[in-house]
Amino acid sequence: TVGIVLINGAGLTSRLILLFTVPTLSDDVYRYLWDGYVANQGVSPYQFPIDSPQLDYLDVPIRALANHSWMASPYFPAAQWFFASVTGLLPLRPLSMQIAGVSVDLINVGLIVYLLGLAGLPARRLLIYFWNPLVVVEVAHGAHVDVWMICLTLSAVALAYMPATAQLSRFARWLSPLVLALATLTKILPILLSPVFFWRWNWPQRVIFALTLMLVLLPPGLRAGWGISGELDGHGLFAALRIYGNQWNYNSGLFHWLEIGLHEYGGLDPDVALQWAKRTIGLVMFLVLVWTWWRGRTVERSRTALRLMTVPLMGYVVLTPTFHPWYLLLLLAFVPYLTPTADEEQAVRWPVLGWLWPAPWLYLSGALSLSYLTYRDPLDLREFEWVRQSEWIPTLFLLLLAIGYSVWRKVDRPSYSTNG
């Protein structure tokens, strides 16, 4: 139909246009290329920092462009497989990662449509992801590895909730924990969905998930070291992750204001305030995961499960100390399932209220572009408070509005559930 052609044509064209651009909003792509390159030369990306003299014999132009040259790779093994595959098949250029990212993203589009069908939602809700400018820019221009993480995560969901009538359903459900483990081993964020999967899987499947994590991490850890103790010098499998947890603090909302409040109004030393802020948001995130796990025990329908999976992702977005624009992409891949079905719209007096849950994240996806003003002056990287307020105050207001409306609906009409 004309509508399908328009949807696909516009989404694809916008991505193809950006393939003619060189990534400028982030230099992560050069780290990807470097990691993939050294891996194909038989060197562990976790063993040496980029600027190590021991890697001088591998010197190529992208080496000077890769970020954080003083530490080894911060990316987990499944991400390294992606980098090595792309650099092994295509030239050592940003365009290669951009092409790979767009190709994977088109698979994501198919997975989102498939899951929309399982959830009983119209396929046109794909527009929330496919036409989202943030997704287009961060995938086709920035070539962020998050697109690979999203592909694996959505695949794990599709495999877990494949209808029992499908011929491959029994085999697919055994693959689900393995694929979610690989998603977690790309970037750790998909592990936040495990409380929902816990009830979908049986004990052997849960063991598969845990074993996959351990077995994939074991070889690079033994080869390059684990990096879980000692100096923060960037050597070892988990060393960069430790550095990230200790030193990264950027573009957060609630975390930033909590940290400032503990310092300015609580009288705590800045370093002490930072640590207490981390402990507080860690506790809140733990409670969100516990609530998700408890709520998930009664979930059977795929629509309800997909909506529940957004809860820990929302918690992460709101609470994390560091939030770059592309960190929102995984949640945006699940936002289409928050939209109301036709019967849900008919059950309320003002159908637009059914869109309260997608609203905060759609707004944030647009406002996040302001955070790139940090890099306006490369010699003076700084955050602007008006940018933080523009991003987070409306987002948090819309989120509170959605939560308040959901609570009111349950109290006012207990028989009606927006969870499907």
Side-chain angles (χ1 to χ4, degrees), residues 90-112:
L90 298 173
L92 204 62
R93 298 171 52 197
L95 178 61
S96 299
M97 283 293 173
Q98 291 171 277
I99 291 173
V102 169
S103 301
V104 172
D105 201 37
L106 296 179
I107 298 174
N108 294 344
V109 168
L111 289 167
I112 290 172

Side-chain angles (χ1 to χ4, degrees), residues 148-312:
W148 174 238
M149 170 189 67
I150 292 169
C151 182
L152 292 171
T153 304
L154 293 175
S155 297
V157 178
L159 290 167
Y161 289 90
M162 182 176 291
T165 54
Q167 292 182 342
L168 297 176
S169 62
R170 180 175 297 181
F171 178 67
R173 290 181 182 180
W174 284 99
L175 280 178
S176 175
L178 187 150
V179 175
L180 186 68
L182 294 180
T184 303
L185 291 168
T186 301
K187 295 185 82 169
I188 200 169
L189 192 55
I191 202 170
L192 297 178
L193 306 184
S194 58
V196 183
F197 279 96
F198 180 88
W199 300 105
R200 186 66 176 178
W201 297 334
N202 54 31
W203 275 109
Q205 290 169 306
R206 296 165 192 160
V207 171
I208 289 174
F209 176 73
L211 280 179
T212 302
L213 290 176
M214 291 186 289
L215 292 176
V216 173
L217 290 172
L218 190 61
L222 292 175
R223 181 181 179 185
W226 297 100
I228 56 178
S229 61
E231 296 183 11
L232 294 175
D233 56 4
H235 292 267
L237 180 60
F238 294 107
L241 189 63
R242 288 175 58 217
I243 293 172
Y244 179 89
N246 277 273
Q247 300 180 5
W248 261 247
N249 189 343
Y250 171 73
N251 198 40
S252 61
L254 284 181
F255 177 85
H256 172 79
W257 291 318
L258 175 61
E259 178 189 0
I260 295 300
L262 289 172
H263 169 54
E264 294 186 355
Y265 302 105
L268 299 180
D269 179 82
D271 290 336
V272 176
L274 175 63
Q275 294 306 316
W276 272 106
K278 288 183 177 180
R279 292 178 188 137
T280 302
I281 63 107
L283 175 61
V284 174
M285 192 67 224
F286 174 75
L287 294 176
V288 170
L289 291 173
V290 170
W291 181 90
T292 304
W293 176 81
W294 181 253
R295 176 68 179 83
R297 77 194 191 284
T298 59
V299 169
E300 292 293 337
R301 300 177 65 186
S302 57
R303 185 196 304 169
T304 311
L306 285 163
R307 291 173 172 178
L308 185 59
M309 288 176 186
T310 64
V311 173

Side-chain angles (χ1 to χ4, degrees), residues 134 251 323-325 328 363-372 391:
L134 181 69
N251 198 40
F323 195 72
H324 292 286
L328 186 63
Y363 171 82
L364 184 60
S365 70
L368 278 172
S369 59
L370 294 172
S371 65
Y372 283 117
E391 290 175 347

